[in-house]
Amino acid sequence: MPVRLNRSITLEQCNVQIPLYFRCPISLELMQDPVILSTGQTYDRSSIEKWVASGNTTCPVSMQKLEDFSLIPNHTLRRLIQEWCVANRSRGVQRIPTPTQPADPNRLRSLLSEASSLGADAEPTRVFAFRALKNLVKDGDSSKALLVKEGAVPILLNTFFGGLGVEHGMMKKIEAAKIPRSSEGEFPEVAGGLSGCKMVVGEDAEEALGVLVMVPLSDNDKLSMTRPDRLSLIANVLQWGSAEARANAALLVETMSESKGCRLVLAASDSIVEGLVGLVGDSREASARSAGARALYMLCLRQAGRERAIEAGAASALVELLLLVEAEVTPNYQSVVERVVATLELLCMNESGCADVARQGAKAVAALMKSILKVSDRATEASASSLLAICSCSQHVQRCAIQVGVIKELLLLMQSDGSEQAKGKAMKLLKLLRTSASLNPASVAEYGRSGVVPF
């Protein structure tokens, strides 16, 4: 990845010459984490790891066959690169970040062995092992890849879904909302799997889920989780889990939905979509709500997902979330806002969804106005599109839009350097509001005093 300067200008664009020996022989970019190969050649860690992961067994420079794939950090060269960055700070060069060293393979194997311990008595051991694994791999892609290589994914899946037939037995049915107890006070078996039951997962299963969402998963791994019984468990965690577990379940859905085949199944699942909408609408944790919104967007890319989201009340939940998030306190604020307004735009593609968003009235308008010219071109365009849609289907929303000052925002958008698509939406909306605005001359006069050129 190229080192960037202020205002996102690359080193080459500013004619800052990188010393030859500071460049990675593979990427030709400034090395962030130089490592020495067994042949004595130095490469940036990410570049040589990709080279080896692609199946290459030779040194890229010397072409010697690699008998040892160990990578030794070149601390001396890294210090020299850092000193060069500091010396060129006045030219906009930023310091390279401190690299995270990959986890010790022997330590990973030991923890995975503890995580595989069977029986209820071993649950504290499993909890400790999963927490340690999470700390070891949370900041390093190479450590995550190594964890997968050591066979972690089957262990994580078996622990999380263990209550569905594997010996771990971490999951218990604790309440059946739709199914009566027997005379002995037990719940009868539920036809079709776990439908209708409220469940909790054990602490070790929640910790396993926390690691599972951090590691790369294959398409087969993702597809294995689309079994009806496993989807039921994920949906139950979305609804009944702790705040952290609910957020991780949403992250898992988002990861699974990156596979088109999985997305089709997930979008057709009432319980998954309802669980995500519920997470967006009622979680006290902002991170959990944001995770739910990102996953919901992925499922709303499918028509079936949009229809289920609309039925579950996604419009009001998303509007409330958009009003709640703030740049100063919301992690990944730009990404969250972009996903929320993009999901609202998708909902507005359906007549019933557009009507649901429009029913939010002034709240919907105020929420969408928050992202016009304040977040990104993508958010601006999606917000303008949604405003156009809901104003087109409701004169009440048109009046609300005028009252809260949307005309001024649209005029500013028209005179900005935003995208042509966003300006096109703004022009259509301005034309639509012209009649309504003319009924309230005071509002138009107010914008005239603002210095914005009227339409």
Side-chain angles (χ1 to χ4, degrees):
M1 180 178 180
V3 173
R4 298 239 168 215
L5 305 179
N6 298 334
R7 299 181 300 279
S8 299
I9 301 174
T10 63
L11 290 168
E12 288 76 7
Q13 289 172 326
C14 273
N15 296 319
V16 178
Q17 295 299 318
I18 303 174
L20 178 62
Y21 293 106
F22 291 177
R23 292 179 181 267
C24 173
I26 298 175
S27 68
L28 301 181
E29 300 291 347
L30 183 69
M31 286 187 276
Q32 309 280 308
D33 184 10
V35 293
I36 304 172
L37 208 54
S38 59
T39 59
Q41 298 293 333
T42 296
Y43 302 92
D44 200 17
R45 183 185 295 275
S46 61
S47 296
I48 192 62
E49 285 180 342
K50 290 177 182 177
W51 170 268
V52 173
S54 299
N56 297 294
T57 59
T58 59
C59 172
V61 172
S62 68
M63 297 308 294
Q64 290 176 257
K65 185 173 180 58
L66 297 174
E67 302 296 341
D68 182 1
F69 292 90
S70 300
L71 302 176
I72 302 173
N74 191 331
H75 297 298
T76 300
L77 180 58
R78 188 180 180 281
R79 281 194 293 270
L80 292 172
I81 293 174
Q82 196 69 282
E83 290 174 1
W84 177 83
C85 291
V86 172
N88 287 274
R89 183 167 49 192
S90 62
R91 305 175 68 183
V93 179
Q94 300 174 356
R95 289 170 57 91
I96 58 176
T98 301
T100 301
Q101 299 302 320
D104 177 17
N106 292 326
R107 175 62 172 158
L108 290 181
R109 295 187 194 104
S110 175
L111 290 172
L112 286 174
S113 177
E114 294 177 5
S116 303
S117 303
L118 299 178
D121 293 342
E123 182 173 352
T125 300
R126 292 191 293 269
V127 170
F128 169 81
F130 287 126
R131 286 177 178 171
L133 286 170
K134 189 159 50 176
N135 288 330
L136 281 176
V137 305
K138 63 181 179 181
D139 295 321
D141 290 340
S142 57
S143 295
K144 295 174 185 177
L146 180 60
L147 189 61
V148 172
K149 183 179 178 182
E150 295 296 335
V153 174
I155 296 173
L156 296 169
L157 292 175
N158 285 340
T159 303
F160 180 54
F161 296 109
L164 302 180
V166 180
E167 186 177 347
H168 292 89
M170 259 48 74
M171 183 187 65
K172 297 178 181 179
K173 300 175 184 178
I174 63 171
E175 178 182 326
K178 302 177 182 177
I179 301 174
R181 293 175 184 266
S182 66
S183 57
E184 291 79 17
E186 298 294 331
F187 295 122
E189 290 298 321
V190 183
L194 308 171
S195 174
C197 291
K198 172 183 173 181
M199 298 163 234
V200 291
V201 294
E203 188 177 6
D204 51 353
E206 287 198 0
E207 294 295 339
L209 175 61
V211 181
L212 186 63
V213 297
M214 296 173 65
V215 299
L217 300 175
S218 69
D219 284 345
N220 286 336
D221 292 330
K222 297 172 185 176
L223 286 169
S224 74
M225 290 184 277
T226 59
R227 284 169 26 189
D229 52 357
R230 292 189 167 189
L231 288 181
S232 293
L233 177 59
I234 296 172
N236 269 271
V237 175
L238 283 170
Q239 185 174 6
W240 305 112
S242 64
E244 182 179 1
R246 297 176 77 191
N248 285 333
L251 288 173
L252 184 61
V253 172
E254 182 182 10
T255 299
M256 293 169 64
S257 64
E258 292 170 356
S259 165
K260 291 184 178 180
C262 290
R263 189 188 305 164
L264 181 64
V265 176
L266 291 165
S269 170
D270 289 332
S271 58
I272 291 293
V273 177
E274 288 173 2
L276 291 175
V277 172
L279 181 60
V280 171
D282 64 20
S283 175
R284 296 181 180 180
E285 293 290 332
S287 59
R289 299 186 76 171
S290 300
R294 293 196 303 271
L296 186 62
Y297 165 77
M298 295 295 291
L299 302 192
C300 284
L301 292 172
R302 305 284 312 187
Q303 175 65 22
R306 288 198 292 274
E307 292 174 351
R308 285 169 173 78
I310 292 167
E311 293 173 1
S316 61
L318 290 166
V319 168
E320 292 290 347
L321 177 57
L322 197 53
L323 288 170
L324 179 68
V325 295
E326 297 294 343
E328 295 78 13
V329 296
T330 303
N332 303 312
Y333 173 76
Q334 177 177 327
S335 174
V336 172
V337 172
E338 287 179 345
R339 288 295 181 95
V340 172
V341 295
T343 307
L344 286 170
E345 182 182 24
L346 289 171
L347 296 184
C348 286
M349 294 172 63
N350 287 44
E351 184 176 350
S352 58
C354 187
D356 278 357
V357 179
R359 271 191 285 273
Q360 306 304 308
K363 290 172 62 175
V365 175
L368 292 166
M369 282 180 60
K370 281 183 65 176
S371 55
I372 292 181
L373 295 176
K374 301 178 182 70
V375 180
S376 66
D377 285 347
R378 181 182 180 188
T380 296
E381 184 177 340
S383 296
S385 177
S386 297
L387 282 169
L388 175 60
I390 61 178
C391 286
S392 297
C393 73
S394 170
Q395 290 186 349
H396 171 67
V397 176
Q398 292 177 27
R399 291 191 293 271
C400 290
I402 293 171
Q403 290 171 0
V404 301
V406 76
I407 294 179
K408 178 179 178 180
E409 295 295 326
L410 295 174
L411 291 171
L412 289 171
L413 172 56
M414 291 298 299
Q415 297 174 57
S416 72
D417 58 355
S419 70
E420 292 303 316
Q421 293 87 342
K423 291 182 180 181
K425 301 287 186 181
M427 177 59 73
K428 290 180 180 179
L429 183 52
L430 284 169
K431 290 179 178 178
L432 178 65
L433 296 176
R434 178 176 295 166
T435 301
S436 296
S438 65
L439 300 177
N440 186 0
S443 64
V444 178
E446 177 186 346
Y447 302 128
R449 292 194 297 271
S450 71
V452 180
V453 177
F455 64 97

